[in-house]
Amino acid sequence: MVDFTLSDEQKALREMAHDFAVKEIRPVAWEYDRDGTWPAEILRKAWEVGLMNSHIPEEYGGPGASYFDGCLIEEEMAWGCSGIQTSVGANGLATSPVIIGGSEEVKREYLGMLTEEPKLASFCLTEPDAGSDVSGMRTRAVRNGDKYVITGQKCFITNGGYADWYTVYAKTDPEAGHRGISAFVVPRDDTVIVDKKEDKMGQRASNTATITFNETEVPAGNLLGAENKGFKLAMMTLDRTRPGVAAMAVGIARAAFEFATEYSKERVQFGVPIAMHQAIQFLIADMATKIHAARLMTWNAGVLLDQGRRNTLESSHAKRFAADTAMEVTTDAVQVYGGYGFIKEYPVEKLMRDAKIMQLYEGTSQIQRLVIARETLLPRHIEEPATVTA
Ligand code: COS
């Protein structure tokens, strides 16, 4: 049976996340955006109430929330501020490969580290010359006895400047393309250098850094999954995290939609509130439909994961549609505000800037279309175990 009704527990969870966004995030969101303030205190509070690390299983000290429940949280928190939620949620991206591929010892140590204290971890895949083309990465990991030595540079790393450990992808067989990549857990030490904090268009409260690994040594046991299977681990991770990004995009779009709707009832032109004009009504109607569709796609992609099914296609549908929706809806919200929408004193210009990254990170809208086209034209039947531990 298909039923979109939330259970009482899910309603309570959504309400809790919404209250947090109202009380802790919204009051500072525009100020943090202006100043690029690192939201340390908000991260600590989110950790305390269980809105961080939601996917870490209970056996490692986490709340063990479902992917669907994660989507409910991410929409509400991003409604508050998607930059702050990007920082709150980034542990989910870094821990997913550990949950899928880490040994029991690695899970206990590194997932435990995040649940015992409000610490951070970052996902290091992208490089200056390897963005969409993951297999073009140059970072190397060389086995040396019972260690791997990692050397290379990663960029656009969310929370990179504040992370205590990193999930790092590196070439272990440089001649083998995507079949020569492995993933590792790398604790931060003196050989891990934070090179640069980016000054971004939007999501300015989140930290985005360049990280250099300078002959960083990790125990061989920090390998995630099998050697040379890191590409698959990255793709399985993105299948699991893209619904959360889609949920955030829905949150941004909803925030813009609410501001625009309220404004359209107050702003008077030609003697009536502009909401009385069909030109505005049609903009509002299209926003509402797109947000509704994006949320349903997001929920669908999350539910499939909770059922233990591969959701590559649905995850890309949701990410692509919700990200494009966030961009379109925030742009239209600025349009509803007219000239005022372009002014920083009004709320929607921040949302339009924030929305842009949704079409870029965790795979651009073009990469999502590429995945959708491949899955549609040449459906793959990948046998995907729940974990890929060697
Ligand atoms: N789950 C499991 N395995 C997957 C998979 C998935 N979702 N997608 C691909 N694979 C496997 C394939 O089955 C194939 O396996 P074999 O080695 O056994 O043949 C392998 O991975 C390579 O797949 P493919 O040929 O599709 O790889 P490509 O390099 O052509 O394309 C894209 C992969 C472009 C889709 C991928 O590189 C990608 O998603 N890029 C964007 C990266 C991204 O999101 N970056 C943002 C960083 S995080 S902020």
Side-chain angles (χ1 to χ4, degrees):
M1 196 170 89
V2 177
D3 185 354
F4 300 110
T5 315
L6 300 185
S7 68
D8 288 345
E9 290 77 22
Q10 287 164 336
K11 282 184 197 155
L13 180 69
R14 187 166 70 170
E15 208 174 297
M16 199 255 273
H18 187 73
D19 281 354
F20 188 90
V22 169
K23 292 192 184 105
E24 307 292 344
I25 301 180
R26 272 279 171 106
V28 294
W30 277 262
E31 179 192 327
Y32 280 28
D33 167 69
R34 186 192 62 216
D35 302 337
T37 310
W38 171 244
E41 188 57 14
I42 299 174
L43 292 179
R44 194 186 56 74
K45 286 184 183 160
W47 180 85
E48 270 170 15
V49 299
L51 289 169
M52 216 166 147
N53 301 317
S54 58
H55 300 323
I56 296 188
E58 286 174 356
E59 56 202 293
Y60 307 108
S66 67
Y67 285 98
F68 181 82
D69 289 353
C71 289
L72 295 179
I73 294 172
E74 294 196 65
E75 178 180 332
E76 297 312 314
M77 299 282 279
W79 171 90
C81 172
S82 63
I84 292 172
Q85 172 51 24
T86 288
S87 287
V88 172
N91 279 1
L93 185 58
T95 52
S96 183
V98 177
I99 293 168
I100 302 169
S103 68
E104 191 53 30
E105 299 79 66
V106 164
K107 285 186 199 169
R108 290 218 170 279
E109 181 172 355
Y110 289 95
L111 299 179
M113 211 187 274
L114 305 182
T115 55
E116 278 154 24
E117 279 182 66
K119 292 193 165 179
L120 299 173
S122 293
F123 181 82
C124 299
L125 183 68
T126 302
E127 298 185 4
D129 294 322
S132 296
D133 178 15
V134 173
S135 51
M137 71 172 62
R138 294 209 207 123
T139 295
R140 283 280 277 131
V142 179
R143 178 97 191 218
N144 183 5
D146 58 357
K147 290 192 159 90
Y148 282 92
V149 182
I150 299 173
T151 303
Q153 191 173 65
K154 299 287 176 178
C155 65
F156 304 153
I157 306 306
T158 299
N159 290 355
Y162 295 91
D164 289 283
W165 57 266
Y166 302 85
T167 304
V168 181
Y169 293 82
K171 285 268 170 83
T172 31
D173 183 352
E175 310 305 320
H178 74 266
R179 292 186 180 150
I181 294 171
S182 304
F184 303 89
V185 168
V186 181
R188 185 167 180 167
D189 66 18
D190 292 348
T191 65
V192 178
I193 293 146
V194 179
D195 287 319
K196 188 179 169 199
K197 174 189 176 259
E198 304 292 353
D199 187 8
K200 304 191 298 285
M201 168 193 276
Q203 297 209 343
R204 292 173 51 77
S206 75
N207 172 265
T208 308
T210 297
I211 311 289
T212 301
F213 299 93
N214 195 1
E215 299 195 357
T216 303
E217 290 186 353
V218 295
N222 283 22
L223 175 70
L224 299 174
E227 197 176 76
N228 296 325
K229 298 287 187 205
F231 185 90
K232 215 162 259 209
L233 197 56
M235 294 304 120
M236 287 170 71
T237 294
L238 293 169
D239 284 351
R240 282 158 180 71
T241 55
R242 283 174 181 158
V245 177
M248 285 176 58
V250 174
I252 299 172
R254 198 181 105 215
F257 170 75
E258 289 174 7
F259 281 123
T261 308
E262 282 312 304
Y263 184 78
S264 73
K265 292 180 195 165
E266 289 161 12
R267 170 76 172 161
V268 174
Q269 289 291 280
F270 303 103
V272 289
I274 58 171
M276 302 290 283
H277 298 303
Q278 198 178 53
I280 299 298
Q281 289 171 8
F282 282 10
L283 277 177
I284 301 276
D286 283 350
M287 288 179 186
T289 305
K290 286 176 193 169
I291 293 168
H292 182 58
R295 184 182 294 112
L296 291 178
M297 281 189 207
T298 301
W299 285 8
N300 178 213
V303 164
L304 288 173
L305 284 174
D306 292 330
Q307 293 172 342
R309 291 160 66 189
R310 193 162 82 85
N311 72 340
T312 307
L313 175 63
E314 291 79 4
S315 204
S316 284
H317 276 319
K319 163 73 165 69
R320 199 293 286 167
F321 189 80
D324 291 352
T325 290
M327 197 68 247
E328 290 161 13
V329 167
T330 53
T331 306
D332 284 346
V334 169
Q335 197 67 23
V336 170
Y337 272 74
Y340 292 112
F342 200 62
I343 309 289
K344 282 191 183 285
E345 204 182 317
Y346 291 81
V348 285
E349 73 83 44
K350 168 189 184 288
L351 300 176
M352 186 174 164
R353 287 186 286 104
D354 286 348
K356 186 60 210 171
I357 192 65
M358 310 314 287
Q359 296 178 308
L360 300 169
Y361 67 12
E362 294 206 28
T364 62
S365 290
Q366 287 67 35
I367 286 294
Q368 307 311 326
R369 286 183 172 88
L370 193 130
V371 172
I372 293 165
R374 280 188 192 173
E375 292 284 322
T376 304
L377 294 166
L378 266 179
R380 264 195 277 240
H381 299 287
I382 300 174
E383 282 301 316
E384 189 184 276
T387 63
V388 293
T389 312

